[in-house]
């Protein structure tokens, strides 16, 4: 039925005046009743603004009627709710004159689909005829009462309108963002400029929040609004992160941080009708706070770093002081033990020499047993002195490139005998094991000491594991351990399943004379000796232990890039004497007498001197000697090394053998014997003396043989100097006399010769100049002559090579193309032939 009604005809036929205008107050329709009471035609007013169609003028004093009408219409636009004017004085033009009329008007908004005001319907009642009541009974009283009531309503409406407009202006101009959401769908009734600027759009009035701000989907705000509306409890947000549309880039979102409150608005009956929103954009404050917090964190971190640096500096200072005190203590102990060892070894040498001399004569079985017992005591005393020197890092080391895997395997039988049948021995050697630079004899002594200590800790049996492998100690590890240099090492570890060591004792186990064994079972020098040897070898030692579980000691010895040099021990050589002349220089008369007697018993002619000055006087007198056998530590102005140099300068064929129980730094530097130095440590046995003297004499004779062999003149016809090439030869030889003789031979053959004493010096010389030939001894200190030649030929492929050696090595030398090999001693003819072959294009 409603669909069939024609509402336009109904309003047209209505007796009350109706007019319709749009949101701009343009008249769009009016019924006949309206046209009749206003005395206007539709063509005159439709399409015109209401204030143009019905202008004010003298008939509207003060423009009060126009003001009331405009205020009512603005209220409808702002509130989207009906508004009534109880009484308005508004004149109607009647031709050239205006007829004063009184009206009562109601303005009703007509909303579109989005909830915005599209049209305004005005219903108007002409109340001018109320004046006619004055002509009837009691008209004046009735009129006055009606008009007073109308005026009171009008004044109340005006006050409410003014208050409403003032509130809207306050909200609109407030710096905070504000909005009012009506109903359970949260429809925007009010939103000030700050709110519209915040959300990046102005078309939100009359729209539900989910439709107006779809970008809030997935954020907590819709849920919070529903909760506030349902519970009537306010919600306050602090610096809540919010993603809103960017007004400058509508397709993207920007993040802001908001302080706000959702305040529910309740009706008198307690029902929630809407939610008032008020808040501030605190993004900048949040950014500043975060920046300050970041600066605060950075400052605190800087303070922590600086504090840590100061603590580390203080700790480093304390470590340095402790290391200095330890170094000073070790130096003091070293000086003390050195002096004690020197005198002690001299005493042991006297005892040992005389006991051995007694062994050479006839003796009963009982005397032989007693002599053996006494010599055993001497050996134990010598071992004790050696351990003292090892701890103080005063033992003379003879390091060379060795393979720990080979050493461990060679010691297998010895270790098993030392450990006994109750101890199970296991060795683990890593594949690709590097060589290390160490004294092999001292490595074996250290390993034996550790094995014996482990055996004693495993009373009743257990397992001993020996491991050898490659290791890298990095910068971080070096910072945590004094005297450790970062780099590549070869690790030797000895682990047992014994009783272990208490944590409070671990820092003391390397101190001299400290022992955890019961009285009479140990001297406390075993680990001290190992510690001193490792430190003297530029290595590192670390001990790990747990009570009841066992102990592991790890030795880290520096890696060597040189090939392993296996030297046959002198102990396997025969004991033999000779007929040469030996000059013994020894300040202790008893030691001197003992040594002289042993050498004479070996068949040598022996001369003796108490100090270096008297020895020089003897040599200058013209007495020929074959071997200078001198103690290192002697009284007087002439030191043992200086004595050796001056004697060899006067008699170049003389060999030199040093002996000492304490070498100081005379012939030992960096804990290592100087190159070419022969040393026999006190105390020594007669067999040791015989082998070492014979070995030293033979080596010297071999080195000088080339200079003593008569050389036949070359049969090659001489060439004019202009036609003869002058090959440049780099001669590498560590023995000074052999170097001098070889240089003379090469110069005699027309070579330009540059000399070097080791591989490092040779490589520097090759870098500085051009050479045709490398002539090198194989047994150089440090890097061998074979390795030197391989490195040199890799850099300079046209370089010729001649090897010289008195200890073999021809097979190894043959591996290098074009290399020639000379066996010492060689003559001028052999050298000349080798030079010719090395220079030939197809030499090989």
């Amino acid at each position: 039925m409603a669909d069939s009604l024609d509402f336009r005809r109904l309003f047209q036929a209505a007796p009350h005046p109706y007019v319709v205008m749009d949101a701009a107050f343009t008249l769009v329709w009016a019924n006949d009743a309206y046209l009749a009471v206003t005395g206007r035609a539709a063509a005159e007013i439709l399409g015109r603004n209401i204030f143009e169609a019905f202008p004010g003028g003298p008939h509207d004093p003060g423009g009060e009627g126009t003001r009331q009408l405009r205020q009512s219409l603005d209220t409808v636009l702002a509130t989207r709710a009906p508004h009534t004017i109880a009484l308005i004085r508004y004149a109607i033009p009647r031709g050239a004159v205006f007829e004063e009329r009184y009206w009562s008007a109601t303005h009703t908004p007509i909303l579109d689909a989005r909830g915005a005001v599209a049209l305004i319907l005005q219903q108007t009642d002409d109340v001018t005829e109320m004046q006619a009541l004055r002509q009837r009974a009691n008209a004046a009283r009735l009129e006055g009462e009606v008009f007073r009531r109308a005026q009171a309503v009008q004044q109340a409406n005006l006050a409410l309108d003014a208050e409403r407009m003032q509130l809207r202006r306050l909200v609109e101009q407030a710096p905070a963002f504000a909005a009012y959401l009506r109903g359970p769908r949260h429809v925007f009734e009010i939103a000030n400029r700050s709110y519209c600027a915040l959300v990046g759009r102005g078309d939100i009035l009359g729209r539900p929040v989910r439709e107006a701000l779809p970008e809030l989907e997935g954020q907590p705000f819709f849920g919070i609004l529903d909760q506030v509306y349902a519970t009537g409890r306010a919600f306050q947000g602090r610096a809540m992160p919010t993603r809103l549309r960017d007004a400058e880039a509508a397709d993207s979102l920007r993040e802001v941080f908001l302080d706000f409150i959702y305040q529910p608005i309740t009706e008198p009956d307690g029902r929630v009708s809407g939610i008032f929103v008020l808040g501030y954009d605190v993004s900048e404050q949040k950014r500043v706070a975060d920046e300050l917090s970041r600066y605060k964190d950075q400052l605190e971190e800087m303070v922590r770093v600086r504090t840590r640096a100061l603590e580390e500096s203080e700790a480093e200072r304390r470590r340095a002081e402790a290391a200095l005190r330890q170094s000073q203590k070790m130096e003091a102990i070293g000086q003390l033990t050195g002096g004690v060892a020197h005198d002690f070894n001299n005493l042991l040498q006297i005892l040992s020499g005389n006991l051995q001399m007694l062994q050479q004569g006839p003796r009963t079985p009982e005397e032989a047993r007693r002599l053996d017992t006494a010599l055993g005591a001497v050996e134990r005393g010598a071992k004790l002195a050696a351990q003292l020197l090892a701890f103080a890092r005063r033992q003379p080391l003879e390091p060379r490139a060795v393979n720990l895997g080979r050493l461990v395997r060679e010691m297998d039988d010895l270790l098993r005998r030392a450990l006994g049948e109750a101890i199970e021995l296991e060795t683990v050697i890593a594949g690709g094991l590097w060589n290390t630079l160490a004294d092999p004899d001292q490595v074996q002594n250290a390993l034996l000491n550790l094995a014996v200590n482990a055996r004693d800790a495993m009373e009743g049996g257990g397992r001993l594991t020996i491991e050898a492998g490659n290791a890298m100690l990095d910068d971080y590890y070096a910072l945590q351990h004094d005297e450790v240099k970062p780099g590549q090492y070869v690790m030797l570890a000895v682990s047992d399943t014994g009783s272990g060591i208490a944590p409070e004792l671990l820092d003391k186990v390397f101190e001299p004379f400290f022992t955890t064994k019961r009285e009479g079972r140990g001297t406390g020098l075993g680990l001290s000796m190992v510690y001193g040897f490792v430190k003297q070898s530029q290595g590192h030692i670390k001990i790990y232990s747990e009570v009841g579980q066992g102990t592991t000691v790890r030795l880290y010895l520096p890696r060597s890039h040189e090939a392993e040099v296996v030297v046959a021990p002198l102990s396997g050589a025969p004991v033999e004497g000779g007929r040469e002349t030996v000059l013994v220089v020894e300040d202790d008369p008893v030691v001197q007498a003992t040594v002289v007697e042993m050498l004479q018993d070996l068949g040598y002619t022996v001369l003796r001197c108490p100090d270096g000055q008297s020895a020089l006087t003897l040599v200058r007198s013209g007495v020929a000697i074959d071997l200078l056998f001198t103690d290192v530590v002697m009284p007087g102005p002439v030191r043992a090394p200086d004595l050796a140099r001056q004697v060899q300068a006067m008699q170049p064929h003389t060999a030199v053998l040093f002996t000492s129980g304490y070498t100081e730094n005379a012939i030992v530097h960096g804990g290592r014997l100087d190159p070419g130095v022969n040393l026999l440590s006190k105390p020594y046995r007669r067999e040791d003396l015989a082998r070492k003297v014979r070995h030293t004499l033979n080596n010297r004779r071999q080195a000088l043989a080339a200079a003593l062999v008569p050389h036949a003149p070359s049969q090659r016809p001489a060439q004019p100097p202009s036609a003869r090439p002058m090959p440049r030869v780099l001669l590498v030889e560590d023995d000074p006399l052999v170097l001098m003789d070889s240089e003379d031979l090469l110069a005699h053959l027309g070579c330009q010769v540059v000399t070097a004493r080791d591989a490092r010096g040779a490589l520097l010389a090759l870098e500085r100049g051009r050479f045709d030939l490398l002539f090198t001894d194989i047994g150089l200190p440090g890097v061998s002559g074979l390795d030197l030649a391989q490195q040199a030929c890799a850099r300079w492929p046209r370089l010729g090579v001649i090897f010289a050696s008195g200890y073999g090595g021809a097979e190894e030398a043959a591996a290098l193309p074009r290399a020639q090999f000379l066996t010492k001693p060689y003559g001028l003819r052999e050298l000349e032939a080798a030079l010719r072959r090395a220079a030939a294009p197809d030499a090989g």
Side-chain angles (χ1 to χ4, degrees):
M1 180 68 179
D3 294 340
S4 63
L5 294 176
D6 187 345
F7 291 97
R8 180 182 290 272
R9 290 180 60 191
L10 289 175
F11 275 99
Q12 186 66 38
H16 291 284
Y18 288 98
V19 66
V20 179
M21 65 191 81
D22 63 14
F25 311 141
T26 299
L27 298 171
V28 297
W29 181 83
N31 67 354
D32 292 341
Y34 185 86
L35 295 175
V37 298
T38 59
R40 308 294 290 273
E44 295 179 46
I45 63 174
L46 296 182
R48 300 177 66 190
N49 188 281
I50 191 172
F51 296 105
E52 293 177 2
F54 300 97
H59 58 279
D60 185 17
E64 181 64 22
T66 300
R67 186 189 65 78
Q68 284 182 276
L69 177 60
R70 183 177 292 279
Q71 184 175 2
S72 178
L73 293 173
D74 286 341
T75 301
V76 171
L77 288 178
T79 64
R80 297 193 301 286
H83 187 268
T84 299
I85 304 175
L87 183 66
I88 180 173
R89 179 182 176 182
Y90 209 97
I92 299 300
R94 302 293 187 189
V97 298
F98 283 86
E99 179 182 353
E100 186 177 79
R101 306 295 293 179
Y102 290 90
W103 312 86
S104 177
T106 298
H107 296 114
T108 303
I110 300 173
L111 306 180
D112 60 14
R114 297 183 304 162
V117 177
L119 299 170
I120 300 175
L121 173 65
Q122 183 190 75
Q123 177 196 350
T124 308
D125 292 316
D126 186 349
V127 296
T128 306
E129 300 304 326
M130 294 287 292
Q131 299 292 342
L133 294 177
R134 292 194 187 98
Q135 301 174 4
R136 291 190 287 271
N138 299 323
R141 184 183 62 77
L142 180 60
E143 178 188 15
E145 186 67 23
V146 170
F147 273 89
R148 279 195 299 274
R149 288 178 181 176
Q151 287 175 348
V153 172
Q154 179 69 15
Q155 290 299 324
N157 286 338
L158 290 175
L160 288 173
D161 290 344
E163 184 178 347
R164 186 183 294 112
M165 294 306 296
Q166 178 69 10
L167 178 60
R168 283 185 172 274
R169 282 195 297 270
L170 289 175
V171 171
E172 186 64 30
Q173 298 176 16
F177 62 81
Y180 174 68
L181 308 176
R182 176 176 50 83
R185 299 178 64 211
H186 316 303
V187 177
F188 280 101
E189 291 284 346
I190 298 175
N192 66 354
R193 284 194 301 268
S194 297
Y195 192 96
C196 293
L198 174 69
V199 299
R201 51 169 64 90
D203 56 344
I204 60 175
L205 294 179
R207 302 171 64 186
V209 66
R210 285 178 168 84
E211 176 187 333
L213 304 176
E215 63 268 21
L216 294 181
E217 187 67 40
Q219 302 184 55
F221 301 98
F222 293 158
I224 295 173
L225 285 170
D226 292 341
Q227 184 179 14
V228 171
Y229 189 86
T231 63
R233 290 194 296 269
F235 175 83
Q236 189 170 9
R238 293 290 186 186
M240 285 191 65
T242 310
R243 295 185 302 279
L244 296 172
R245 190 178 74 165
D246 192 336
E248 298 180 359
D251 295 335
S252 63
L253 298 179
R254 59 189 174 90
E255 185 178 52
V256 295
F257 294 87
L258 305 177
D259 280 354
F260 65 92
I261 184 170
Y262 287 161
Q263 178 63 48
I265 305 300
T266 57
E267 298 300 319
D269 61 359
R271 178 177 55 85
V272 176
S273 60
I275 298 173
F276 181 66
V277 181
L278 181 67
Y280 292 91
D281 182 352
V282 295
S283 300
E284 183 64 19
Q285 295 92 316
K286 179 72 164 52
R287 185 192 64 79
V288 172
D290 290 345
E291 192 73 12
L292 289 175
S293 177
R294 187 161 53 250
Y295 288 152
K296 174 176 172 290
D297 293 341
Q298 291 176 352
L299 180 60
E300 290 177 349
E301 179 62 21
M302 291 172 63
V303 171
R304 283 194 296 269
V305 169
R306 182 58 179 162
T307 302
R308 187 164 55 249
L310 290 174
E311 291 173 349
E312 291 176 353
S313 176
E314 177 63 18
E316 182 64 27
R317 184 187 65 80
R318 290 195 295 268
R319 283 196 299 270
E321 289 180 352
L324 177 61
R325 288 193 298 269
Q326 181 70 9
S327 175
Q328 290 172 340
K329 181 176 76 172
M330 292 299 100
E331 184 67 25
I333 294 177
Q335 293 293 337
L336 174 63
T337 56
V340 170
H342 177 264
D343 294 337
F344 188 46
N345 282 331
N346 275 348
L347 295 175
L348 292 174
Q349 182 58 51
I350 296 170
L351 294 172
S352 175
N354 283 281
L355 290 171
Q356 291 180 76
M357 292 302 298
L358 288 174
Q359 279 186 325
Q360 302 303 311
R363 58 191 182 280
T364 66
E366 181 63 21
E367 291 172 339
R369 184 186 62 79
R370 291 179 178 177
L371 286 174
D372 290 340
T373 301
L375 284 171
V378 170
E379 289 184 1
R380 287 195 297 273
K383 182 178 179 181
L384 179 63
Q387 289 175 330
L388 285 171
L389 289 176
F391 167 73
R393 308 182 202 181
R394 288 294 191 270
Q395 60 180 340
L397 299 180
E398 295 187 70
R400 61 176 182 268
V402 295
N403 187 279
L404 293 187
R406 182 185 60 79
L407 287 184
V408 172
R409 294 187 193 97
E410 288 181 352
M411 291 185 65
D412 187 81
D413 290 340
L414 175 61
L415 290 171
R416 292 185 186 278
R417 288 196 301 271
L419 295 173
E421 296 181 357
I423 305 296
E424 181 182 353
L425 176 63
E426 179 182 6
T427 58
V428 181
I429 309 299
L433 188 66
W434 298 329
N435 289 339
T436 185
L437 187 64
D439 188 320
D441 294 336
Q442 297 302 326
V443 172
Q444 291 178 330
N445 287 338
L447 181 56
L448 187 58
N449 266 294
L450 294 176
V452 170
N453 280 349
R455 178 200 64 191
D456 295 342
M458 295 185 290
E459 297 181 3
R463 173 188 291 269
L464 180 72
T465 304
I466 299 175
E467 301 174 74
N470 301 328
M472 172 68 75
L473 301 183
D474 57 18
D475 294 328
Y476 179 73
Y477 187 89
L479 287 175
Q480 296 178 310
H481 298 82
D482 293 334
E483 298 184 20
V484 173
K485 295 180 180 179
Q488 295 176 328
Y489 291 81
V490 179
M491 185 272 297
L492 180 64
V494 178
S495 303
D496 64 60
T497 57
S499 56
I501 302 172
E504 63 272 15
L505 301 179
L506 281 177
D507 292 336
K508 300 179 180 181
V509 295
F510 295 125
E511 294 181 2
F513 305 111
F514 176 83
T515 180
T516 58
K517 301 175 185 178
R518 61 178 180 267
E519 186 175 354
R521 290 295 302 273
T523 62
L525 287 174
L527 282 178
S528 301
M529 183 275 290
V530 176
Y531 175 87
F533 155 66
V534 172
K535 294 296 184 181
Q536 192 175 349
S537 300
Q538 314 303 317
H540 171 59
I541 184 169
K542 188 71 175 177
I543 185 169
Y544 307 86
S545 188
E546 185 175 347
V547 175
Q549 299 299 317
T551 302
T552 295
V553 181
R554 291 196 175 116
L555 314 184
Y556 295 89
L557 298 172
R559 178 187 181 181
S560 173
H561 292 275
E562 304 172 19
E564 183 182 20
V565 179
V566 180
V567 178
L570 284 180
S571 59
V575 177
E576 57 181 338
R579 300 299 179 185
E580 291 89 348
T581 299
V582 179
L583 172 59
V584 175
V585 184
E586 172 62 61
D587 61 306
D588 188 306
V590 182
V591 174
Q592 184 190 87
T594 304
V595 174
V596 168
E597 187 175 356
M598 283 196 293
L599 288 171
Q600 288 175 340
D601 186 62
L602 290 169
Y604 295 103
T605 300
V606 185
L607 305 175
R608 69 182 75 188
C609 289
D611 54 48
Q613 188 63 53
S614 59
L616 282 178
T617 301
L618 177 64
V619 175
R620 287 177 184 140
S621 68
V623 177
I625 61 174
D626 299 295
L627 175 69
L628 173 65
F629 185 41
T630 176
D631 193 4
V632 175
V633 181
M634 290 189 304
V638 180
R639 299 171 62 248
D642 297 331
L643 170 63
R645 281 192 292 271
Q646 294 186 51
V647 168
Q648 287 189 325
M650 291 183 285
Q651 299 187 22
H653 66 281
T654 302
V656 177
L657 175 60
F658 293 99
T659 183
S660 180
Y662 175 53
T663 58
E664 289 184 327
N665 292 323
I667 58 174
V668 176
H669 294 87
R672 304 174 181 182
L673 282 174
D674 293 340
V677 169
N678 293 300
L679 174 69
L680 180 61
S681 295
K682 296 178 181 178
Y684 46 81
R685 298 176 303 169
R686 177 177 177 276
E687 292 80 2
D688 298 331
L689 175 64
R691 293 187 179 105
K692 194 68 175 180
V693 168
R694 193 71 260 157
H695 175 75
T696 305
L697 286 169
N698 291 342
N699 279 356
R700 189 60 177 174
R701 182 176 296 108
Q702 188 178 50
L704 296 176
L708 300 176
V709 173
H711 305 298
S714 174
Q715 302 300 318
R716 187 174 52 184
Q719 296 179 341
S722 59
R724 181 182 304 161
M726 295 284 289
R728 284 178 55 82
V729 179
L730 175 59
L731 174 62
V732 189
E733 173 61 64
D734 60 316
D735 190 295
L737 291 179
V738 176
L739 180 71
M740 180 178 62
D741 294 335
S742 300
E743 184 178 7
D744 291 342
L745 291 174
L746 289 169
H748 179 76
L749 293 172
C751 300
Q752 294 180 340
V753 185
V754 175
T755 63
R757 298 289 296 274
D758 54 27
R760 181 174 177 274
L763 290 173
L764 290 175
L766 287 168
E767 291 283 355
R768 297 191 187 103
R770 183 191 64 80
F771 291 91
D772 302 299
L773 182 67
L774 172 65
F775 185 17
T776 178
D777 187 15
I778 290 181
L780 296 176
V783 178
S784 70
L786 292 170
D787 291 337
L788 166 63
Q790 290 174 351
Q791 295 180 42
C793 289
R795 288 283 307 277
W796 298 278
R798 299 181 61 85
L799 183 68
V801 178
I802 298 179
F803 291 110
S805 176
Y807 303 95
E811 294 181 358
E812 293 84 351
L816 193 67
R818 300 179 58 232
Q820 304 300 313
F821 183 82
L822 285 177
T823 300
K824 296 179 181 178
Y826 50 81
L828 188 63
R829 180 175 300 175
E830 291 84 0
L831 177 58
E832 185 178 20
L835 287 171
R836 190 182 308 111
R837 289 193 301 271
D842 58 347

